[in-house]
Structure formats: C-alpha cells, structure tokens
Amino acid sequence: MHSCAGPLEWAAFAAAVLAVMALDRLVFGAGKPDEHAMPIREAALRSLLVVLSAFLFCGFVYVRLGQDKAASYLVAYLVEESLSVDNLFVFLVIFKYFAVNDARQKRILFWGVAGAIVMRGVFIFAGAALLHRFHFLNYVFGAFLLYTGGKLLFHREDDTVNPEDNIALKLGRRYLRTTNEYDGDRFTLVKNGVRFVTPLFLVLLVIEVSDLLFAVDSVPAVLAVSPDVFVVYTSNIMAILGLRALYFLISHMMTRFAYLGIGLSIVLIFIGAKMILGQHVHIPSLLSLAVIAVVLALTVLISLLRPPKGDTSE
C-alpha cells in the first residue's frame, strides 16, 4: 500500500472534511427542522460549497505533494463525481418505487453517504494493498473496467432497475420483522409492545447495498488513476460528501443527462486501458485529466443542447 502523504496531510484532510460539514450545518442547518425538504436553490449552494472545498484541497495537494499528485487527485475526483451522478439515477428509481417523499429522502441519503464513506475507505485501502502485493491484479482490474465500460456503452433502454430484485430487500423481508407503515422518518416503530422495522429502513438497506455494488465499479476506476491511497481516498470522499445535495439538485432534470452514460463508458474504457498499458507505457496525469474532462464536458453539453425526443424537462 503506497502513500506519499504524512501525518500533516492526513490531519489537513480530516480538518477540511470537518470544516465542510460544520460550515454546511451553520449556513444551511441552523434553525431548520431536520425533516425539511431541500429546495433546489439550497441544494445548488450546498453542492457549490463542497465542489469549491474539493478544489481548494486540490490546491493544498499541489502545494504539498506537487503537480502530478494534484492532477491525479482531480482525475480521481472527476471520475468518482461522474459515477456518483450516474448512480443517482438508481437512487431515484428506488425512492419512487417505495414512495419516499423528499424529507425522508434527505434522511436516507444522510445515512447512505455516511455508510458510503466507511465502505469506500475499506475498499480503497484493501484494493491498494492488493495491487501493491499482487501486480497482476492491475491487468484484472483494467480488464474489469473495460468490460464495465463496454457494458455501459451498450446499455439498453429497457434495462431498468427493479428494486424487488435487490438481495438486501429479499433478505430484510425474510429475516426482519417488517411493517408497511411509515412512522415519520423513523427506521423502527413499536406496535403492541413489538418492535418492527419500517419501509424506510428497508430503503436504507437497499441504498447501502446498491452503493456497495457501485464501489465495485468506482474503486478500481480511481485506483487505476493513482496507486496513492491518500490521493484516491481524499478525492473519493470529497466527491461523496456532496452526493446528498447533488441528488436534490439534479433529481428534477435527470432525464436531461441522457448521454452521460456514453461519456462514462468512454471514461471507464480509457482508464481501464490506462491501467493495463500503464504497466509498460507512462501516461501523464495531466493527459488523463484533459481526456476525461473533455469527454465528460462534451457528453453533458450534448445532453443539454440535444435532449432525446420526448424529453419535456425544463
């Protein structure tokens, strides 16, 4: 497992995360009930806060660790942020299926992000340790990314997500005492002296397992960008921190990003090839950053300028 960062860099990252969370709470959380739904304007400002914080921390990485590490940080951040946007489509389907209102979605996403931070840390450190010990896994991870990118590129319109197929939902209904009643934003309720888990808990369970599956795609992708766990982990967490606000920001216009999947597939194929060829040919981080930024910018621009037929979103 490789990291060029020392205790100071890790302490600075922890301070940055705590500062973002505290500032978010002070500016947007003071005087508001926890169950209030997040308006679009607030979601936009919160997203901007996290994005600016991520870029400020990139400046810190540049000063402390150099240009190459800063470029790798930006590449990993863009990859994780883009994959997170794609994953939000799945979250939207899950919330609609279970009829979860905006206020409850906010609570689910809070705990979902918290769980994602822990799981990504475990996956990243374990994956980096395996790559350091077994170098042939670079080819395995690279081939997996090529497969994932190709699968996403040829994704069919009728390949919709069905929450009923989620293994977590099936196991939860089988082994937990469940009820069909919601009790505000609580995960459990007591009826006749017996405690039941509410549908909200089952939704959280499905979200956490879905994010676990997302990590199988995203962690190899960011580890292909850099073997440095500090660069990969910090960029990953900075991207995840803004996931809740980002969801509410784009949930009303998700259909406008119709071509994002194509861009993501190209990105995954590119970094998969980079992971395989990188064992023999050096590909500069700045070149990777330029390729990924251009691909994502073009697919988002095309999505906005030429929405698919039948899209009436404003």
Side-chain angles (χ1 to χ4, degrees):
M1 187 169 59
H2 169 67
S3 175
C4 64
L8 176 61
E9 286 76 23
W10 284 106
F13 171 65
V17 171
L18 292 175
V20 171
M21 295 173 65
L23 186 60
D24 178 86
R25 182 65 181 174
L26 287 173
V27 175
F28 301 105
K32 295 180 180 179
D34 290 337
E35 66 272 9
H36 86 288
M38 190 181 298
I40 296 301
R41 181 175 179 274
E42 179 183 329
L45 292 174
R46 280 182 154 176
S47 297
L48 182 61
L49 169 64
V50 179
V51 170
L52 288 177
S53 301
F55 277 85
L56 285 174
F57 190 77
C58 180
F60 172 81
V61 173
Y62 177 83
V63 172
R64 295 291 302 178
L65 305 177
Q67 176 181 287
D68 189 64
K69 296 296 183 183
S72 295
Y73 170 94
L74 274 182
V75 172
Y77 177 80
L78 286 175
V79 169
E80 178 59 34
E81 191 79 355
S82 302
L83 289 172
S84 295
V85 171
D86 195 51
N87 296 340
L88 293 180
F89 285 85
V90 178
F91 291 173
L92 181 63
V93 171
I94 293 172
F95 287 145
K96 283 187 174 181
Y97 181 84
F98 287 96
V100 181
N101 62 28
D102 287 347
R104 290 169 180 161
Q105 288 177 21
K106 183 182 174 184
R107 178 168 168 80
I108 288 290
L109 289 171
F110 172 83
W111 289 107
V113 168
I117 290 174
V118 174
M119 286 189 290
R120 297 303 170 87
V122 173
F123 271 61
I124 287 171
F125 281 88
L130 288 172
L131 286 175
H132 179 72
R133 185 174 179 84
F134 306 105
H135 293 288
F136 72 90
L137 288 178
N138 284 283
Y139 298 102
V140 176
F141 281 13
F144 175 74
L145 292 174
L146 290 175
Y147 167 77
T148 304
K151 183 179 179 182
L152 183 60
L153 184 62
F154 296 102
H155 173 79
R156 297 179 302 174
E157 292 295 329
D158 56 349
D159 290 339
T160 56
V161 177
N162 184 5
E164 285 293 339
D165 295 333
N166 191 284
I167 185 65
L169 180 60
K170 294 178 179 179
L171 292 176
R173 286 174 171 171
R174 181 173 181 178
Y175 293 106
L176 297 176
R177 188 180 291 112
T178 62
T179 177
N180 292 326
E181 299 178 27
Y182 282 101
D183 186 16
D185 61 357
R186 295 180 177 86
F187 294 125
T188 65
L189 63 82
V190 177
K191 294 193 301 183
N192 301 321
V194 179
R195 185 169 296 277
F196 295 83
V197 297
T198 66
L200 206 62
F201 180 83
L202 295 179
V203 176
L204 177 62
L205 201 60
V206 173
I207 290 292
E208 293 287 11
V209 171
S210 297
D211 189 74
L212 182 65
L213 297 176
F214 297 153
V216 175
D217 288 338
S218 66
V219 170
V222 293
L223 285 175
V225 173
S226 172
D228 192 310
V229 293
F230 178 78
V231 170
V232 172
Y233 182 70
T234 55
S235 58
N236 211 267
I237 299 307
M238 281 297 185
I240 291 175
L241 276 179
L243 185 61
R244 184 171 64 154
L246 185 63
Y247 171 84
F248 287 101
L249 175 62
I250 68 174
S251 60
H252 71 297
M253 54 179 294
M254 280 188 174
T255 55
R256 294 298 301 272
F257 296 95
Y259 303 109
L260 179 62
I262 297 176
L264 289 177
S265 65
I266 295 173
V267 167
L268 289 176
I269 291 172
F270 170 74
I271 59 181
K274 178 179 181 291
M275 196 169 197
I276 295 174
L277 297 176
Q279 304 303 305
H280 310 284
V281 180
H282 176 65
I283 301 176
S285 297
L286 285 176
L287 176 61
S288 299
L289 176 60
V291 170
I292 292 173
V294 169
V295 168
L296 293 177
L298 283 177
T299 51
V300 170
L301 184 63
I302 293 172
S303 297
L304 294 176
L305 294 179
R306 300 192 64 180
K309 294 180 179 179
D311 178 26
T312 58
S313 61
E314 294 294 332

